Amino acid sequence: MSLQLQFSRQIAGRNVTVDCDIPRGDCLALYGPSGVGKTTLLRTLAGFDRIDHGRIAFGAQTWDDGQRYTPVERRRVGYVFQDFALFPNMTAARQLAYAQPRQPTQSVEHWLQLTGLAAHGQGYPQQLSGGQRQRLALARALASEPDLLLLDEPLSALDASLREQLQESLAGLLAQTRLTTVLVSHDLGEVFRLAQHVLKLDGDGATQYGTPQQVLLQRGQYGRYQLTGRVLLLAPAEVQCRVVVAIGQETVTTLISHTEAAGLHVGQAVAVSLNGASATLTALS
Amino acid sequence: MLTGVDLQPLWLTLRLACVTTVVLLLLGVPLCAWLASRPDRPGRLRSVVEVLINLPLVLPPTALGFYLLLTFSPTHGPGLWLANTFKIQIAFSFSGLVLGSVLFSLPFMVQPLLAALRQTPRNILDAARTLGKSRLSVLWHVWLPTARHGVLAGAILAFAHTVGEFGVVLMIGGGIPGQTRVASIALYQEMEALNYPAAHAYAAILVVFSCAVLLLLQVVQRRAR
């Protein structure tokens, strides 16, 4: 059951065309600067907005082809909103129970356990921390037992250290549930860590689709980014040292001086600053 | 203070206010949910309906009462038809009082409820829809509980406004003792009969009641914040 996206629609006066096919269990990242229409595209996939031309389908089910249209209530999508959109009148456990289908395959306790909220079932959203709210939003989306998971910058409201930690648990959850996922992000590290495919949106409406490495690490195309990764290999050569760094599911190879390499070891966490075609590594404690 | 005062108008007023509030809740909740459902595209029909709902705020109560009386008079038009077909009499009956009160107090229910529903973040409602829930389920489980202070404020205002009504209920009800003579009409009739102690008793009760309602409303609003 793949997610088939072949459509175009107007976003803020620009015609955005999407053409990609996401295999079951894979994660597609919608990547680009703020205001290019990533969230609008995600809402279109959810069924809140219509497409202008083309077709959106999930497996054999056509969701929108200009004539046939499946409303949001019947698409079986789990949506994690940027601000989490938790119900303020319900406890965590009640939100999950409300989200569950008529005949759930998993209990509320299962989802609370899976997202590390077992001790907070009776807490209201306003009593939870930012990280707990994020996990509750994710648990609620999962508890509805969706076919497709849509994540709208789910970690952007959190501070850097919490984001790093939750990226890890989100990656684990996606691998565990094998859910087809579409993720909106403007965080390159998040894209590399979570997604197998990326659709890059530019301000003029142009799109590029491929693996994160194909789309985002092409020479001269990536501007200035900062990622975090781990050193996989340090190979000293005569003049410089070749370093391979794992960033999410991709690797980046760069050359650094022997002096810089002296402060690094295999397995070390590093910040990778990409600027034009060069990369700078900074050891993280 | 209440010695020698006919309590029947007070009980009738209380009954009228309770029935009116229940009818307004049943009518106002779906109406407000419909009005607030498309904030991005309100549409012409919604705007017209909102204007009609708010008409009693600027319309003299006697004008509304007059037209209600003309419409539901048992001697002609819809009133005669209702009397002949269903044996229902609206004018000069408790049903007429309820009808007049519902129409006249509708904006007092709708305004706070609509404001509270419109204040609810759209994302919350969208989130409920992605969970596969029907619009009715979203309204009942998420939207109304989130806007409960608006529901409560609307109910309190509608109840209080019905208690204090005069013009509409006088026109459509006629102030018949034991049937349509509510407290505000009783106060007016006692004053006309120069029975000041009784008029004073009715007036004092209405003043105390109004103060209590305003205090209650303040508590509700403070809790909502």
Side-chain angles (χ1 to χ4, degrees), chain B residues 23-40:
Chain B
V23 172
L24 279 174
L25 276 172
L26 294 174
L27 189 73
V29 167
L31 187 63
C32 289
W34 175 69
L35 286 171
S37 61
R38 295 301 295 266
D40 49 335

Side-chain angles (χ1 to χ4, degrees), chain A residues 170-250:
Chain A
L170 187 56
L173 270 173
L174 294 186
Q176 207 176 331
T177 53
R178 292 277 297 138
L179 262 175
T180 310
T181 304
V182 180
L183 162 81
V184 165
S185 181
H186 55 227
D187 179 335
L188 211 51
E190 200 169 277
V191 173
F192 271 89
R193 185 164 289 187
L194 300 172
Q196 291 81 39
H197 315 271
V198 64
L199 182 72
K200 184 168 177 260
L201 288 95
D202 293 321
D204 57 1
T207 56
Q208 288 176 66
Y209 173 69
T211 65
Q213 195 156 30
Q214 282 169 344
V215 175
L216 301 171
L217 295 182
Q218 288 172 35
R219 185 179 286 267
Q221 283 200 359
Y222 38 71
R224 186 180 178 83
Y225 300 121
Q226 177 138 331
L227 310 159
T228 53
R230 281 190 191 278
V231 176
L232 285 184
L233 183 73
L234 281 166
E238 274 184 26
V239 184
Q240 285 184 303
C241 184
R242 190 165 68 91
V243 189
V244 180
V245 180
I247 303 169
Q249 292 162 353
E250 304 290 341

Side-chain angles (χ1 to χ4, degrees), chain A residues 76-97:
Chain A
R76 289 173 57 93
V77 293
Y79 200 123
V80 176
F81 289 79
Q82 202 172 346
D83 62 358
F84 311 139
L86 296 169
F87 307 135
N89 58 309
M90 295 186 199
T91 63
R94 177 79 188 93
Q95 312 231 5
L96 301 187

Side-chain angles (χ1 to χ4, degrees), chain A residues 36-278:
Chain A
V36 292
K38 303 185 294 293
T39 296
T40 308
L41 275 186
L42 199 71
R43 288 180 65 84
T44 307
L45 299 191
F48 293 118
D49 299 319
R50 299 291 303 268
I51 58 172
D52 296 331
H53 303 284
R55 180 170 177 264
I56 296 177
F58 190 81
Q61 197 187 11
T62 298
W63 280 354
D64 194 355
D65 63 0
Q67 286 161 352
R68 280 171 295 178
Y69 171 69
T70 307
V72 57
E73 295 86 352
R74 296 220 303 269
R75 289 197 184 189
R76 289 173 57 93
V77 293
Y79 200 123
V80 176
F81 289 79
Q82 202 172 346
D83 62 358
F84 311 139
L86 296 169
F87 307 135
N89 58 309
M90 295 186 199
T91 63
R94 177 79 188 93
Q95 312 231 5
L96 301 187
Y98 181 65
Q100 286 185 311
R102 277 179 203 278
Q103 286 165 335
T105 55
Q106 302 287 353
S107 65
V108 166
E109 288 70 32
H110 166 83
W111 297 115
L112 288 171
Q113 289 278 356
L114 192 72
T115 48
L117 291 170
H120 303 281
Q122 295 314 308
Y124 284 90
Q126 48 276 32
Q127 295 167 327
L128 302 177
S129 69
Q132 287 163 346
R133 280 203 285 265
Q134 188 277 338
R135 279 180 280 149
L136 177 57
L138 184 63
R140 186 180 64 182
L142 294 172
S144 68
E145 300 184 15
D147 291 330
L148 175 67
L149 187 62
L150 304 174
L151 309 172
D152 188 2
E153 302 197 34
L155 307 176
S156 65
L158 309 172
D159 62 56
S161 64
L162 193 56
R163 199 158 59 223
E164 175 81 11
Q165 187 190 328
L166 287 176
Q167 262 177 23
E168 206 65 60
S169 62
L170 187 56
L173 270 173
L174 294 186
Q176 207 176 331
T177 53
R178 292 277 297 138
L179 262 175
T180 310
T181 304
V182 180
L183 162 81
V184 165
S185 181
H186 55 227
D187 179 335
L188 211 51
E190 200 169 277
V191 173
F192 271 89
R193 185 164 289 187
L194 300 172
Q196 291 81 39
H197 315 271
V198 64
L199 182 72
K200 184 168 177 260
L201 288 95
D202 293 321
D204 57 1
T207 56
Q208 288 176 66
Y209 173 69
T211 65
Q213 195 156 30
Q214 282 169 344
V215 175
L216 301 171
L217 295 182
Q218 288 172 35
R219 185 179 286 267
Q221 283 200 359
Y222 38 71
R224 186 180 178 83
Y225 300 121
Q226 177 138 331
L227 310 159
T228 53
R230 281 190 191 278
V231 176
L232 285 184
L233 183 73
L234 281 166
E238 274 184 26
V239 184
Q240 285 184 303
C241 184
R242 190 165 68 91
V243 189
V244 180
V245 180
I247 303 169
Q249 292 162 353
E250 304 290 341
T251 57
V252 170
T253 304
T254 188
L255 294 171
I256 58 172
S257 68
H258 285 289
T259 324
E260 283 176 294
L264 300 176
H265 58 83
V266 172
Q268 170 140 34
V270 284
V272 186
S273 300
L274 298 170
N275 191 6
S278 67

Side-chain angles (χ1 to χ4, degrees), chain B residues 10-59:
Chain B
L10 292 171
W11 290 121
L12 185 68
T13 304
L14 199 62
R15 193 171 140 226
L16 175 66
C18 288
V19 173
T20 302
T21 306
V22 170
V23 172
L24 279 174
L25 276 172
L26 294 174
L27 189 73
V29 167
L31 187 63
C32 289
W34 175 69
L35 286 171
S37 61
R38 295 301 295 266
D40 49 335
R41 270 175 275 172
R44 203 170 289 168
L45 182 63
R46 284 185 176 83
S47 305
V48 170
V49 170
E50 212 171 326
V51 167
L52 287 176
I53 289 169
N54 288 326
L55 202 57
L57 289 175
V58 289
L59 198 69

